Amino acid sequence: MSQLDKIEKRIRNIFEKSRVLMPGSNQNDQMVKRFSEAIQALFMNEIPREIKNPRVQFTLNPATARQWRSQVQWEKTLADLLLLTAVEFGFQFRTWPEIKIDADPSRSEEEINISLIDVPYPQGGETGVISIESLENAEQTEKEIQKTPTLIIQGDRTIELTLPVINIGRKGTNHIVINDLRISRNHAQLRKIKENYTLFDVGSSGGTFVNSARIEKHALRPGDVISLAGYTMIYTIYQPPAEETQKGITSEIKIPDEEEEK
């Protein structure tokens, strides 16, 4: 099976399961094909690299753009698809991709164009003379931040990983509780080995996947895309600025303080 066939199959499976972007897909076979071709063109025309702050823009016919925006969870559906596809082409997204839709009347209803940029983080602070000491402090702070292993959950929440063992599942006694019926009561476990975390599946029914491959045990690297039976998260050691990490709090996820563990 060619890479394009794999992408098309994945897109078709996502839309058949969720009906998010293409409800009533009988008339959308051509759209799926165009979507697959656009995603392949996006990644094949770019040099594989690490992207710290990805923004992906879809340019669509206005009618198609309105249809996509009207569907619940359209941003999450597209982000999941892009995350899983990017790793197959050698890309690593260090944060959840920002999704933008632009309407272009000159395009047909089945035409799709996708572009990808790495958005620079804003540089805060006042302009003026900067001492060597302040530069050293800033560099040290950046190093400390980047050393913190972090999970980005569904693009809405970041969880810093500090415990040596972290259990993930639907059961309330887990460190990270995910109230999603796809998740097993005890689904996966993170274990800190030296300075890095290794992910283990603990007998889940839906499976644990890293970069689209089902795993029993996997030593995580920054940019790895984790899927717990379809529930997606990113493992990273990069911490975005404070205003970027506080996009929202989801009630279905919790992680206790270390004091509570004792």
Side-chain angles (χ1 to χ4, degrees):
M1 183 180 292
S2 69
Q3 202 160 34
L4 180 58
D5 289 336
K6 290 180 181 178
I7 296 171
E8 187 171 328
K9 182 179 179 181
R10 176 173 294 149
I11 292 170
R12 195 175 298 278
N13 286 341
I14 287 175
F15 292 146
E16 285 178 354
K17 288 178 182 177
S18 66
R19 304 288 182 179
V20 171
L21 301 181
M22 299 181 187
S25 61
N26 291 340
Q27 60 186 13
N28 289 302
D29 286 346
Q30 189 62 31
M31 173 72 86
V32 171
K33 186 173 181 60
R34 293 285 182 88
F35 201 167
S36 305
E37 292 171 348
I39 287 183
Q40 178 171 256
L42 168 70
F43 290 116
M44 290 191 70
N45 292 332
E46 297 273 351
I47 299 173
R49 63 191 187 277
E50 175 185 273
I51 300 177
K52 292 183 177 180
N53 191 23
R55 176 187 293 167
V56 182
Q57 179 166 312
F58 290 78
T59 304
L60 309 167
N61 174 273
T64 306
R66 283 194 301 271
Q67 179 183 345
W68 285 23
R69 291 194 189 108
S70 68
Q71 305 302 315
V72 177
Q73 294 189 328
W74 64 268
E75 290 174 294
K76 176 188 174 301
T77 298
L78 290 172
D80 284 352
L81 177 64
L82 289 162
L83 283 168
L84 295 172
T85 305
V87 296
E88 294 187 2
F89 287 90
F91 289 79
Q92 285 189 325
F93 290 176
R94 296 293 289 271
T95 60
W96 206 266
E98 178 187 4
I99 307 296
K100 297 285 187 180
I101 290 181
D102 183 41
D104 181 357
S106 68
R107 298 184 182 274
S108 71
E109 291 191 9
E110 296 174 349
E111 190 175 355
I112 301 173
N113 179 265
I114 311 174
S115 60
L116 169 66
I117 61 172
D118 192 353
V119 182
Y121 286 116
Q123 298 295 322
E126 297 180 357
T127 304
V129 178
I130 303 175
S131 68
I132 293 177
E133 181 180 0
S134 65
L135 287 173
E136 289 176 346
N137 291 339
E139 183 178 353
Q140 179 62 30
T141 300
E142 182 179 358
K143 287 180 180 178
E144 290 174 356
I145 290 174
Q146 290 181 343
K147 287 181 180 178
T148 305
T150 303
L151 282 181
I152 304 175
I153 310 287
Q154 299 279 50
D156 296 323
R157 170 92 183 271
T158 59
I159 297 179
E160 293 185 359
L161 307 177
T162 57
L163 301 176
V165 176
I166 299 171
N167 295 312
I168 306 173
R170 195 156 40 89
K171 190 176 180 181
T173 54
N174 286 289
H175 300 98
I176 300 178
V177 178
I178 303 175
N179 289 332
D180 187 304
L181 293 178
R182 295 172 293 178
I183 305 295
S184 297
R185 289 171 62 80
N186 298 297
H187 197 111
Q189 184 181 82
L190 289 164
R191 298 180 200 167
K192 193 170 186 179
I193 300 174
K194 295 183 178 179
E195 295 301 317
N196 298 313
Y197 278 92
T198 297
L199 177 66
F200 294 83
D201 184 272
V202 292
S204 70
S205 58
T208 299
F209 299 79
V210 177
N211 302 332
S212 302
R214 188 163 186 165
I215 61 99
E216 297 296 328
K217 172 184 176 182
H218 180 85
L220 293 170
R221 296 180 299 174
D224 278 347
V225 180
I226 301 168
S227 175
L228 306 183
Y231 193 95
T232 311
M233 56 192 76
I234 302 175
Y235 175 80
T236 182
I237 57 170
Y238 179 80
Q239 181 69 44
E243 64 269 23
E244 292 294 324
T245 62
Q246 300 299 324
K247 290 183 179 178
I249 297 175
T250 50
S251 60
E252 76 271 17
I253 303 168
K254 72 171 186 177
I255 183 163
D257 296 333
E258 292 183 49
E259 292 298 322
E260 292 178 2
E261 277 297 290
K262 298 176 182 177

